[in-house]
Amino acid sequence: MTIMPYAEPVSEAGSEQVTSLAAQIGRVAAPLRSQVLDVLREAILSFRFAPGQRLIERELIDMTGVSRTTIREVLRELAAEGLVKTIPQKGAVVVALSPEEAEELYELREVLEGHLVKKFVERASDAQVVALRRAFTQLESVVERREGTVAVLKAKDVLYEVLLTGAGNSALRASLSQLHARVSLLRASSLSSGPARPPEAVAELRVLVEAVEAREAGAAADAMVTHVRAAARTGIEAIRHSSHALVAATS
Amino acid sequence: MTIMPYAEPVSEAGSEQVTSLAAQIGRVAAPLRSQVLDVLREAILSFRFAPGQRLIERELIDMTGVSRTTIREVLRELAAEGLVKTIPQKGAVVVALSPEEAEELYELREVLEGHLVKKFVERASDAQVVALRRAFTQLESVVERREGTVAVLKAKDVLYEVLLTGAGNSALRASLSQLHARVSLLRASSLSSGPARPPEAVAELRVLVEAVEAREAGAAADAMVTHVRAAARTGIEAIRHSSHALVAATS
DNA sequence: GCTCGTCCGATTGTCATACAGTCAGGCGAG
DNA sequence: CTCGCCTGACTGTATGACAATCGGACGAGC
């Protein structure tokens, strides 16, 4: 989930109608630190920093224009999120996943996303179910029209967002967001997840959405597990192929 | 509790026979930072810092003897672990869980620990199963002999450690460790989890261990879920009672 | 030519200091 | 008694400095 860039506004318990004002005065300047955090996280997840690449403080300073103090604090946060690894006396390195680790992550995803879906079915309002359907339709059309990988990812994110919100468990949301971040790191390793997957993924998700609409928690969860498992297969396969290079790069 | 300014690295008592080469080359002087992290985490989890309490940098500096730079980096890590919350312009505060958040955490624990047990049954060696039984027996006797709460917690930790190792998924381990930390934060909120729980917990865990020994994954997982659910009930109940005070302390 | 030990540069880990910005609470004026 | 200002306590951020360490280049010796 990406830690919120802006701090939780200390809810101005004041009168309602000042919302716009509160927004204005409440959060004019986000802590510099969190802005940098966002930028770097984004850079890693969009593969502008390759897995295994060293993140040298000096260079980050030059790139961002903030002081070393700030950079270092940000690096600690990224490390805690699992996006970079800090090697003693060596500094921060973008995490490169081994096939085994990837497998572990997918196993976790299976469990958590299965649960996510189950809770969504239990708790989501009808409106949220509709939103899910809408998000799915959107994804479908993006895939059909063969828009870029980025567009597909974005559509998927929307869909997940609907699920996370509907499931109503912020701890689950936090865990899954972190997990997703790390998994998409894997995507960076294997470059493309293979061109054949998206259509299949859509088919799998269609099953999911329909089960949700029928309010069948078990079936929906199963569909999600199936989906994740399929994604795992290709994902791990891909990383396995490119792993030689990675091993070289990492060591 | 002053931390030694210098790391306690290779004990230069090296004149002795080199017990283990690995130890020598492996240990590269623990970064001061990580030592401080451990100390503070420990302090939080052992309730020496109360939930809602502000952690003022200056005071931490005095307590630990390290510089502000280091302290701040540690605080970022603690924040990412979910043990402290950073309020803009206000600094770090030990997290205080609301009943709702506690409920969410327990829900997650149910899922993850259920999975943990299932995987343990699937993957653990016979030796590990024996280790589990041993850990359980130890816990049992600690509870019977009415040793302190600390001893009980320690024994539980050992048991969990066995499970985590046997399940063979380091990502799962990481997630659960974090989760456990946050849950035990809850214990700090509610002071004592109630004196009646331990014996019940032992009974629940006995069911678990026996199911594991019979290699019945489903039953074992169910037992764990039951256990967590029971713990949740008392845990949340406790926090709910003390929540007024907490709200006051937090705000 | 090859191996080995040494030295150097690049970086991290840590510290001390400084200063602006912000928030809370006290104090005094109306 | 309320309002507004002032001050003190902290955080957020920047800067400079220095030891320790690591990797690689360089040069000596075989």
Side-chain angles (χ1 to χ4, degrees):
Chain A
M1 101 186 128
T2 70
I3 294 164
M4 279 280 114
Y6 347 38
E8 300 297 320
V10 197
S11 56
E12 294 311 321
S15 39
E16 355 284 283
Q17 37 202 286
V18 276
T19 13
S20 62
L21 267 189
Q24 282 243 339
I25 52 181
R27 279 287 69 86
V28 191
L32 195 45
R33 187 175 61 243
S34 58
Q35 295 182 52
V36 175
L37 177 61
D38 287 343
V39 168
L40 290 193
R41 187 194 293 113
E42 214 280 314
I44 291 175
L45 293 184
S46 64
F47 324 148
R48 289 209 295 284
F49 293 135
Q53 178 179 341
R54 273 185 76 182
L55 296 182
I56 296 170
E57 295 175 3
R58 184 83 159 289
E59 294 177 2
L60 297 179
I61 291 171
D62 294 341
M63 282 185 224
T64 60
V66 303
S67 77
R68 201 175 158 211
T69 307
T70 304
I71 288 290
R72 284 180 62 86
E73 291 185 26
V74 168
L75 287 178
R76 299 293 153 254
E77 302 198 45
L78 286 174
E81 284 181 38
L83 292 186
V84 310
K85 183 176 49 170
T86 305
I87 302 175
Q89 249 60 43
K90 193 95 189 285
V93 176
V94 178
V95 163
L97 296 175
S98 69
E100 292 75 29
E101 289 168 315
E103 220 150 335
E104 294 183 355
L105 290 180
Y106 274 114
E107 185 186 308
L108 248 193
R109 260 190 74 181
E110 243 176 64
V111 175
L112 289 181
E113 296 193 9
H115 182 70
L116 168 73
V117 168
K118 197 154 71 186
K119 288 303 169 186
F120 183 87
V121 171
E122 285 179 18
R123 295 177 189 158
S125 67
D126 288 343
Q128 286 172 318
V129 172
V130 171
L132 179 68
R133 162 63 73 175
R134 228 180 353 240
F136 171 72
T137 306
Q138 178 64 21
L139 169 64
E140 192 176 36
S141 79
V142 165
V143 170
E144 259 175 21
R145 276 181 274 153
R146 288 201 169 55
E147 306 189 16
T149 306
V150 191
V152 172
L153 292 180
K154 205 159 192 173
K156 271 191 187 168
D157 281 350
V158 172
L159 195 150
Y160 268 107
E161 184 52 37
V162 173
L163 287 175
L164 286 169
T165 302
N169 181 328
S170 62
L172 176 60
R173 166 186 232 113
S175 287
L176 264 177
S177 300
Q178 211 168 312
L179 202 52
H180 268 160
R182 301 189 63 190
V183 167
S184 58
L185 211 75
L186 179 155
R187 195 156 40 225
S189 309
S190 56
L191 295 186
S192 83
S193 352
R197 268 291 292 164
E200 294 176 20
V202 169
E204 292 153 13
L205 290 175
R206 178 176 297 113
V207 176
L208 166 67
V209 172
E210 282 167 3
V212 168
E213 287 174 335
R215 293 282 181 179
E216 290 172 5
D222 287 348
M224 181 56 109
V225 169
T226 301
H227 172 59
V228 173
R229 202 163 286 172
R233 259 197 300 277
T234 66
I236 293 173
E237 194 55 33
I239 200 186
R240 197 155 260 149
H241 281 213
S242 60
S243 62
H244 338 79
L246 275 183
V247 170
T250 314
S251 66
Chain B
M1 58 162 67
T2 335
I3 296 177
M4 278 291 130
Y6 347 119
E8 38 183 312
V10 274
S11 50
E12 39 71 38
S15 53
E16 302 307 301
Q17 61 271 31
V18 185
T19 0
S20 110
L21 275 183
Q24 282 249 338
I25 50 182
R27 277 293 87 193
V28 254
L32 193 45
R33 186 174 62 241
S34 59
Q35 295 181 54
V36 175
L37 177 62
D38 288 343
V39 169
L40 289 193
R41 187 193 293 114
E42 215 280 314
I44 292 175
L45 294 184
S46 63
F47 325 148
R48 288 207 297 283
F49 292 136
Q53 178 178 342
R54 272 186 76 182
L55 296 182
I56 296 170
E57 295 175 4
R58 179 100 68 152
E59 294 177 2
L60 298 179
I61 291 171
D62 294 340
M63 284 184 223
T64 60
V66 301
S67 76
R68 201 172 158 214
T69 306
T70 305
I71 288 290
R72 285 181 61 88
E73 290 185 26
V74 169
L75 287 178
R76 298 294 153 256
E77 302 197 46
L78 287 174
E81 284 181 35
L83 293 186
V84 309
K85 182 175 51 168
T86 304
I87 301 175
Q89 314 304 346
K90 195 95 189 287
V93 175
V94 178
V95 163
L97 296 175
S98 70
E100 293 74 28
E101 289 168 316
E103 219 150 336
E104 294 183 355
L105 290 180
Y106 275 114
E107 183 186 309
L108 248 194
R109 258 190 75 181
E110 244 177 63
V111 174
L112 288 181
E113 295 192 9
H115 182 69
L116 168 72
V117 167
K118 197 154 71 184
K119 287 303 170 184
F120 184 87
V121 171
E122 285 179 16
R123 296 179 188 155
S125 66
D126 288 343
Q128 286 172 318
V129 172
V130 171
L132 179 68
R133 162 62 75 173
R134 226 175 0 235
F136 170 72
T137 306
Q138 177 64 22
L139 169 64
E140 192 175 32
S141 79
V142 165
V143 170
E144 261 176 21
R145 276 181 275 153
R146 286 198 172 56
E147 307 189 17
T149 307
V150 191
V152 173
L153 291 180
K154 205 159 190 172
K156 271 191 187 168
D157 281 350
V158 172
L159 195 150
Y160 267 107
E161 183 54 35
V162 173
L163 285 174
L164 286 169
T165 303
N169 182 329
S170 61
L172 176 60
R173 167 186 231 113
S175 288
L176 267 177
S177 300
Q178 214 168 307
L179 203 52
H180 269 159
R182 301 190 62 190
V183 168
S184 56
L185 211 78
L186 180 153
R187 196 157 38 225
S189 310
S190 56
L191 296 185
S192 83
S193 354
R197 267 291 292 162
E200 294 175 19
V202 168
E204 293 153 12
L205 290 175
R206 178 176 297 113
V207 175
L208 165 68
V209 173
E210 282 166 4
V212 168
E213 287 174 335
R215 294 284 182 179
E216 288 172 6
D222 286 348
M224 180 57 109
V225 169
T226 301
H227 171 61
V228 173
R229 202 164 287 172
R233 259 197 301 275
T234 67
I236 293 173
E237 195 54 32
I239 199 185
R240 196 156 262 150
H241 280 213
S242 61
S243 61
H244 340 79
L246 274 183
V247 170
T250 315
S251 66

